[in-house]
Amino acid sequence: MSAHLDVTRRALLLQRLEAALAAAPEPPADPFVPGAVSRRSFLRVVGLGGAGLAIAVQFGGCGPREEPPLVTDQTPFSPNAWITLNNDGTVDLLVDEMEMGQGVMTSVPMILAEELDVAWDAVRVSYGPKNPSAWPRGISTGGSTTVRTGWEPLRRAGAAGRAIVIAAAAQTWGVPASEIRTENGRVRHDLSNRQLRYQELLDVAATVPVPDPETLTLKDPSTFKIVGTRVPRVDTPGKVDGSQTYGMDVQLDGMLIAAVARCPVFGGSLKSFDATAAEQVPGVRQVVPIGAGVAVLAEDTWSAFRGRDALRIEWDEGPVAAVSTLSLDETLARLAEGPGSVARDEGDVDATLASVPADRRIEAVYRAPYLAHACMEPLNCTAHVRSSDAEIWVPTQNATNSQRVAAQVAGLPVESVTVNAIPMGGGFGRRSNTDFVAEAVECSKAAGAPVKVVWSREDDTRGGYYRPVAFHRFAAALGADGMPVAWRHRIAAPSILNQLRPGSLRNGVDGDAVAGAAELPYRIPNLRVDYAMANPGIPLWWWRAVGHSHNAFTTESFVDELAVAGGHDAVEFRRRLLQDAPRHLAVLNAAAEKIGWGSPPPTGRYRGVAVHESFGSYVAQIAEIEVSSGRVRVHRVVCAVDCGRTINPDTIEAQIQSSIVYGLSAALYGEITLENGRPVQGNFDTYPVLRMNEMPRVEVVIMTSTEAPGGIGETGLPPIGPAVANAVFAATGQRVRSLPIRLGGVVTEGVGG
């Protein structure tokens, strides 16, 4: 009975909050710039009697547009929160950020609990809403934005709740609000030695006027008791004991499993198929053509995949069948001859390069391959389409687009689709796409039953939507003192944004493709970065750290080349160039001090350094490696990170370690190559990832900072590739200009020690 009452109370809460949100004025237009969150938000109090006190909070950055926005990893996070102070002393926080291992279910309530002044374990977090179309912003998680842009709005939401209960206590006791303080879910009046729990004031609080967000008093950070401490992750127990439910675990009565045969060449289409043999496989119930190819629906996963293997299909492979890694490299090399569309231009690069003697000019070409996302949990989605509505169960980074696509495929109004967003076994950007959602809905519609689409590992690796390939051409000039006086960087790469919205690039530049390169922090008087777009027809999508992932590798490796050419120590060279970039310089110095740069490493080991800013955070990494028999072994990585105000040090350390694992996998192993338009790699035998016994020792130095929080989910990845590559040069004299790292044609491995 109690469970039923809780569901009823929640339903009532959601109904009244939806009404409150619908009645609220539209917030300011969204500038569509990460971190751009209006300080002014609206707060609406909904009295629910015995059910508690609900505060509907909408923050800026979700204003109307002429057309629905494409919600992607790069969409700014402007959170909306439904906060409920319950009559049992707990606080419910309904968030629209999704958990995929980055700790959002812990960090977000930490901020609220701090400002609301309640115990950490009093806050209960849940996903929402199930109807994203009713939410004032697109629901999408990515771009390392959760804490970065939710920091101030969540603080103001907590401060608003605190102000409301203080006002209610002042009214109850007949004393000035200035004489009342809060502590751990209680209001106190020290002069009369009176105190009340928040829940004892809810009825009165529901009548208190809504405070103006601009007049709220936020806590002095020096008084923080929760923010900045090591709070245990709320999602850890379920992952340890196996009780956490993922998309692959969804089970429904009458559910079928679908395996989809897709064209092996990107952009190809179905010509004909023969399902006779597939239909004879025990357990196979139906074979249907869908937009992505041919789906085999069966009673279980094994039968579905066996049925798919038995299909006889003829494909129209299309023009991409002529594309190979070699032909694409030739195309990119021609484009990189330039000139491209200018992303940054200072001084006179060409004249400076021409004026410097040839022995002080350095040129180099760098390459970065396509990369698959390789999530631990392969893609999946369960859908149940009925005549008047539909429901999906999906591990997604993008609930809004998932609902929109599901409605379009099902032929239903968008509000008729219920979205059950499920925690993800890895996302890395891939799960912000909706191709697997469309497949599940189309299969369920055809079957008239719930259907779970399951991708195999090979489906996932060969399923496209890769990080773009990139070709980098550098030229630089050194002055008489060996310091750079000119820098030219040309990037030739396909464009994610242009593939999604052709013609959408501003002045011909894809901001993701030049991210981190256009913002080079080094003091170089003549500097130009330009971009040339290729369009080979390979599906693209955001990958962890996006363009920073390859631009940090190329820029920091080339900086190392210049240091060597100029006769400078790699760290000292960067120090001299970072005089205008104090946060870069600080993390560089911290990492160098921690590892003992300048003192010799253990015998047989060598070090490389890299420093990079991305997603509002600054990271320096020094890798310590060994090279033996042509193989690279990464033993130790020291990482100094300035991500602004620290919320949870444990989460920061975990995300840095995670980024290093992911980045090392790419640097040492990762590549998707193409032959006749087909991806060569399929499973982890041909697309390896770092193993447990290969993990280096990672030491994280978290800088003390009073700056606003930066991102942490991706920012630790970009420097690891160049740090290892620069260490390889220190060890062998061989410059790594192409990933994955190969010495003498042998793929390297990273083995911890």
Side-chain angles (χ1 to χ4, degrees), residues 266-278:
F266 297 120
S269 59
L270 179 66
K271 291 178 67 176
S272 65
F273 71 97
D274 182 350
T276 304

Side-chain angles (χ1 to χ4, degrees), residues 11-57:
L12 175 63
L13 167 64
L14 295 182
Q15 289 173 5
R16 296 191 181 181
L17 284 170
E18 293 236 18
L21 288 170
E26 287 289 351
D30 178 5
F32 210 61
V33 176
V37 177
S38 171
R39 291 186 62 203
R40 187 164 188 88
S41 57
F42 82 79
L43 304 167
R44 186 173 294 269
V45 177
V46 184
L48 299 177
L53 175 74
I55 307 172
V57 188

Side-chain angles (χ1 to χ4, degrees), residues 483-494:
M483 299 301 292
V485 293
W487 171 287
R488 185 174 66 205
H489 183 185
R490 287 175 173 161
I491 303 169

Side-chain angles (χ1 to χ4, degrees), residues 234-247 249-250 422-423:
V234 299
D235 57 324
T236 298
K239 294 175 179 177
V240 173
D241 64 22
S243 61
Q244 175 65 64
T245 298
Y246 293 97
D249 301 320
V250 172
I422 301 173

